[in-house]
Amino acid sequence: MSSNLIEVKNLKKYFQTPRGNVHAVDDVSMVLKQGETMGVVGESGCGKSTLGRTLIRLLDSTDGSILFDGEDITHISGKKNLRQLREKAQIIFQDPYSSLNPRMTVEQTLKEPLILTKRYTKVEINERVEDLMQLIGIDNRVRMSYPHELDGGRRQRVGIGRALALGPKFIVCDEPVSALDVSIQAQILNLLMDLQDKQGLTYMFITHDMSVVRHISTNISVMYLGQLVETSPTKALFEEPLHPYTQALLSAIPTTDLGGQPKRIMLEGELTSPIDPKPGCRFRRRCPYATQACKEPQQLRELMPGHFVSCCRAGELEHRHGKHHGSHKHHSTA
Amino acid sequence: MADTKNTFLEVKDLVVQYTSAGEVIHAVNGISLQLERGQTLALVGETGAGKTTIGKSIMRILPDRSASIKSGSIFLEGQDLLQLSEIDMRKVRGARISMVFQDPMTALNPTMKIGNQISEVIKIHNEVSKAEAKKQAISILELVGITAERYDAYPHQFSGGMKQRVIVAMALACSPELLLADEPTTALDVTIQAQILEMIYALRDKSKMAMILITHDLGIVAQAADTLAVIYAGEILEYGTKEAIFKDPSHPYTMGLFKAIPNLTSDSRRLANIEGLPPDPTVLPAGCCFHPRCPYAQEECRSIKPELEVISPGHDCRCTRSSEIKQEVANVF
């Protein structure tokens, strides 16, 4: 077992709006192990990006604590301390076009973080940039190119290179391949996995694409309206999703299997508002199994080793799930 | 592929070019397609392959200033849409053919109530009274799962999924015979995507509507399509029934596409990717347009342009080496 790199406890991030507090991240606890990838999935607006950004202190948390490599980083402040954290924890954004400075060449973008540390000589910086470009698979001939001259895949490579410049331990990948075509998407996913193998990186991989997340993640956390509803090793989650929302999410993925799409679980009903939500399960208005008990606050329970779910009915629902996924080839009986 | 005389929609040798800053962009280079009533044809390919341009050519909504249809014809029940006057085309557009666009955030008029945006379409095409148009608009909104009391809401009051429902409702308002759905669910979450697609399938099956589905999601193609065309650099590389292509992908590009998708069932860690990038549409490569990225390319592929050839009934492929390559691939495993 590898050691814990990040421990998040009861993390909350609320945004104030005129209509009340948006509970973007509400009482989320999770552990990220060194060298592994935690996939975070959920619908847009469920708080997955906010979680990633709060974790590396791009946003300040409302409550809770974040341990990074044994150090409590929840309230560190000051330029010096935050810069030290940025050397260890980085982020790659979805849209490399808007996250790269349009007035900086590839070389300048990659140099910037190195210059800011004031630790390297010019020669060292140039060497490091060359290494980086080789690492991310960018030709030397585009060294002086601006972002608009590059295609989406290359731009994303530059975004990855910038994140890697100072040799971080942890990278939040916020939908890094969502804007790319499948053939390019595969190139970038392979690059991210190669880098992980070479440098022992830990990733938090935020996406709404279930097949991508299954491919790259060691563990997966499913979020719904700011809350963690299920977290589990990847294989177990796909074989035995326990939360009704996860079941619906997995059944909604279009498969390329001509033989038969497993039966869809269609969700009805309106979304609950994330503004000052009432206690209780936030999924209950769309949940086909909701009962009175679902109006009570839900707790994460470990139903199988490493497999946690926040649904008071999860244990009894396993059999129903079996019925829904009877034709599903991943299904195995518990 | 089919007898052309009674074909519902037939696109023949379509060539479309854009001009930008003095350069000619070869967007569509000789595309031919057929589609029957009640059938769904999927156009699959990467960004810039020309899928949307084909859709817009059929609708005749290409930007006049920069785009031009160089040659080809588009027959809807024998009538060439490209020969129609703009006035006649308006009667076809929205009534017989309509289009759903990718981005629900920008396809609606932000200053108009959503109900009025739908009743406007009905009023223009069906010459009915305002009250009657409103009644029909409400019933079509209910069909897509939006209640009558939201008739007076503005687009900003809707979520992305709800806006896309409004757009689908608008496209279906006049019961079109042909629906062009351009990435109708790309901007949406999977659970919402499933709802919208189910709704489109139900409406298609109810009214025998024909559909051209533009997508890059092979999962959606597997669910929805009868036939599919794999488009690359403005050309069809492979064309046929869904079963034929999914069971026996024959063009190296199609094979690559299938392998590049992270599979929900496979356990291999590395994804097979297609090296390189799609060609620059201003200077297309000589010979086969895919040869610069093709791992099987030989000398002839660089100079001689392959034809789209029938390799089995209902399955065409534009690759001279297809059967050899399949043999090679089979030997490796």
Side-chain angles (χ1 to χ4, degrees):
Chain A
M1 269 281 160
S2 38
S3 57
N4 295 347
L5 182 69
I6 294 176
E7 287 175 47
V8 182
K9 283 205 186 90
N10 306 103
L11 192 70
K12 289 181 186 166
K13 175 64 191 171
Y14 297 170
F15 292 103
Q16 283 176 1
T17 72
R19 288 189 293 155
N21 284 339
V22 175
H23 292 213
V25 174
D26 212 352
D27 209 6
V28 168
S29 301
M30 59 169 67
V31 171
L32 277 77
K33 286 190 168 22
Q34 179 78 46
E36 295 192 350
T37 300
M38 170 65 85
V40 178
V41 296
E43 295 175 31
S44 47
C46 74
K48 49 192 195 302
S49 290
T50 305
L51 173 67
R53 279 161 211 216
T54 312
L55 219 73
I56 58 167
R57 293 294 313 278
L58 286 179
L59 292 170
D60 287 326
S61 55
T62 308
D63 197 14
S65 68
I66 310 158
L67 281 185
F68 187 97
D69 220 359
E71 184 195 354
D72 188 343
I73 59 159
T74 326
H75 300 293
I76 58 165
S77 61
K79 220 175 188 176
K80 189 166 158 273
N81 291 332
L82 282 172
R83 274 211 176 141
Q84 270 177 4
L85 175 65
R86 305 271 177 263
E87 287 187 28
K88 291 187 281 185
Q90 272 294 330
I91 184 164
I92 303 165
F93 296 97
Q94 170 170 6
D95 179 2
Y97 196 61
S98 53
S99 59
L100 294 177
N101 187 334
R103 292 172 169 234
M104 279 165 90
T105 61
V106 170
E107 185 187 68
Q108 286 170 329
T109 302
L110 295 176
K111 268 184 180 175
E112 176 100 338
L114 297 162
I115 295 172
L116 286 174
T117 63
K118 296 183 182 144
R119 280 205 306 266
Y120 304 99
T121 63
K122 270 194 175 154
V123 181
E124 283 170 338
I125 289 176
N126 277 329
E127 277 173 10
R128 180 81 186 127
V129 167
E130 260 169 45
D131 291 347
L132 274 174
M133 291 189 49
Q134 205 169 13
L135 197 64
I136 56 175
I138 291 266
D139 280 352
N140 214 23
R141 66 185 167 85
V142 298
R143 194 171 175 138
M144 295 301 165
S145 302
Y146 288 92
H148 75 268
E149 297 172 291
L150 304 176
D151 57 88
R154 284 218 183 83
R155 262 184 235 143
Q156 194 57 292
R157 284 174 193 269
V158 175
I160 293 171
R162 180 180 60 181
L164 287 173
L166 295 173
K169 290 182 167 179
F170 173 62
I171 300 182
V172 174
C173 308
D174 192 356
E175 305 258 16
V177 296
S178 309
L180 306 173
D181 279 313
V182 277
S183 72
I184 311 296
Q185 171 180 305
Q187 293 173 5
I188 297 293
L189 288 175
N190 284 339
L191 173 67
L192 287 171
M193 288 187 289
D194 290 346
L195 290 169
Q196 184 168 45
D197 294 344
K198 275 186 214 157
Q199 316 205 337
L201 292 166
T202 307
Y203 292 139
M204 170 177 264
F205 198 96
I206 299 166
T207 182
H208 62 267
D209 187 326
M210 295 302 287
S211 43
V212 166
V213 85
R214 176 185 179 273
H215 191 81
I216 200 163
S217 310
T218 330
N219 293 288
I220 295 179
S221 292
V222 183
M223 287 185 71
Y224 190 78
L225 285 177
Q227 292 179 323
L228 189 65
V229 295
E230 186 162 0
T231 182
S232 154
T234 303
K235 199 158 179 274
L237 187 88
F238 277 84
E239 280 175 0
E240 198 77 25
L242 294 174
H243 198 283
Y245 174 65
T246 315
Q247 292 170 8
L249 197 65
L250 294 184
S251 82
I253 311 166
T255 64
T256 49
D257 194 351
L258 287 187
Q261 177 82 19
K263 187 164 166 33
R264 284 272 180 65
I265 303 165
M266 280 304 181
L267 294 177
E268 304 280 331
E270 283 280 298
L271 289 168
T272 308
S273 164
I275 295 174
D276 295 323
K278 293 195 180 65
C281 175
R282 289 183 192 165
F283 183 60
R284 73 170 186 274
R285 283 165 70 182
R286 294 170 85 191
C287 181
Y289 313 114
T291 60
Q292 276 301 318
C294 302
K295 289 186 179 166
E296 301 298 320
Q298 307 287 311
Q299 301 295 332
L300 268 187
R301 295 181 292 144
E302 186 169 15
L303 284 194
M304 283 184 276
H307 194 158
F308 295 83
V309 62
S310 143
C311 170
C312 57
R313 300 202 62 203
E316 34 171 330
L317 291 176
E318 274 174 61
H319 302 290
R320 294 189 189 226
H321 150 67
K323 197 169 74 186
H324 274 297
H325 285 248
S327 61
H328 205 281
K329 58 171 75 162
H330 307 304
H331 179 70
S332 63
T333 41
Chain B
M1 253 180 40
D3 174 17
T4 56
K5 271 199 178 133
N6 305 312
T7 309
F8 171 63
L9 175 80
E10 184 175 20
V11 177
K12 251 186 176 164
D13 302 318
L14 186 69
V15 177
V16 185
Q17 294 175 354
Y18 293 95
T19 3
S20 157
E23 281 184 317
V24 177
I25 297 164
H26 301 268
V28 175
N29 307 310
I31 294 265
S32 298
L33 297 164
Q34 294 92 26
L35 180 63
E36 299 296 340
R37 268 178 204 279
Q39 297 271 302
T40 297
L41 164 69
L43 304 184
V44 180
E46 297 179 65
T47 315
K51 310 180 299 274
T52 300
T53 304
I54 297 171
K56 286 186 172 173
S57 306
I58 297 171
M59 275 293 265
R60 275 189 45 194
I61 51 169
L62 287 167
D64 281 341
R65 234 178 288 166
S66 56
S68 66
I69 297 178
K70 287 288 167 195
S71 60
S73 32
I74 298 169
F75 294 103
L76 186 70
E77 291 193 307
Q79 184 181 42
D80 190 350
L81 297 179
L82 299 182
Q83 302 303 324
L84 290 182
S85 67
E86 180 54 31
I87 293 166
D88 288 331
M89 190 61 208
R90 266 185 217 161
K91 292 176 189 150
V92 175
R93 205 183 287 136
R96 296 189 66 193
I97 309 178
S98 59
M99 189 157 178
V100 175
F101 295 94
Q102 175 171 359
D103 186 1
M105 314 306 157
T106 55
L108 291 169
N109 182 339
T111 65
M112 248 175 107
K113 292 171 180 169
I114 58 118
N116 290 344
Q117 300 196 40
I118 295 169
S119 64
E120 184 187 42
V121 181
I122 299 170
K123 225 168 65 194
I124 290 170
H125 288 294
N126 298 354
E127 291 172 6
V128 291
S129 71
K130 214 173 161 181
E132 174 59 26
K134 181 168 178 173
K135 217 176 98 194
Q136 288 184 20
I138 287 173
S139 74
I140 192 102
L141 276 175
E142 279 172 351
L143 197 66
V144 299
I146 296 174
T147 51
E149 61 251 36
R150 307 215 57 184
Y151 186 92
D152 287 325
Y154 286 94
H156 74 267
Q157 295 170 299
F158 280 69
S159 66
M162 293 294 268
K163 271 188 237 172
Q164 195 62 311
R165 285 173 190 235
V166 174
I167 291 162
V168 171
M170 201 190 298
L172 297 173
C174 294
S175 323
E177 296 158 62
L178 172 63
L179 179 70
L180 305 170
D182 187 0
E183 307 263 9
T185 55
T186 305
L188 306 174
D189 293 313
V190 275
T191 53
I192 310 291
Q193 164 174 298
Q195 286 176 7
I196 300 272
L197 289 176
E198 285 299 327
M199 189 182 88
I200 293 177
Y201 303 155
L203 294 167
R204 171 194 65 188
D205 297 341
K206 209 172 100 186
S207 63
K208 277 255 157 211
M209 179 174 77
M211 179 154 90
I212 294 183
L213 182 65
I214 298 171
T215 181
H216 60 259
D217 187 331
L218 289 168
I220 296 177
V221 175
Q223 279 175 22
D226 299 295
T227 53
L228 87 108
V230 180
I231 318 266
Y232 185 83
E235 285 178 32
I236 294 180
L237 295 188
E238 194 162 354
Y239 185 30
T241 63
K242 171 180 71 184
E243 286 75 15
I245 295 181
F246 272 67
K247 284 183 189 142
D248 182 27
S250 299
H251 196 284
Y253 178 63
T254 319
M255 297 180 200
L257 270 190
F258 274 97
K259 281 193 220 135
I261 316 167
N263 194 314
L264 282 172
T265 48
S266 113
D267 284 319
S268 74
R269 180 151 159 87
R270 272 193 80 85
L271 292 165
N273 57 24
I274 305 173
E275 291 298 331
L277 300 166
D280 178 351
T282 57
V283 260
L284 290 173
C288 169
C289 61
F290 186 60
H291 88 252
R293 300 176 80 187
C294 182
Y296 310 103
Q298 289 187 341
E299 210 37 56
E300 54 169 311
C301 307
R302 297 184 180 97
S303 50
I304 304 163
K305 192 169 188 62
E307 295 293 320
L308 193 62
E309 279 167 15
V310 181
I311 54 169
S312 68
H315 191 173
D316 305 351
C317 177
R318 193 189 289 277
C319 177
T320 42
R321 299 198 60 220
S322 173
S323 52
E324 286 170 57
I325 290 166
K326 275 192 268 180
Q327 196 61 47
E328 252 177 68
V329 174
N331 288 343
V332 171
F333 292 105

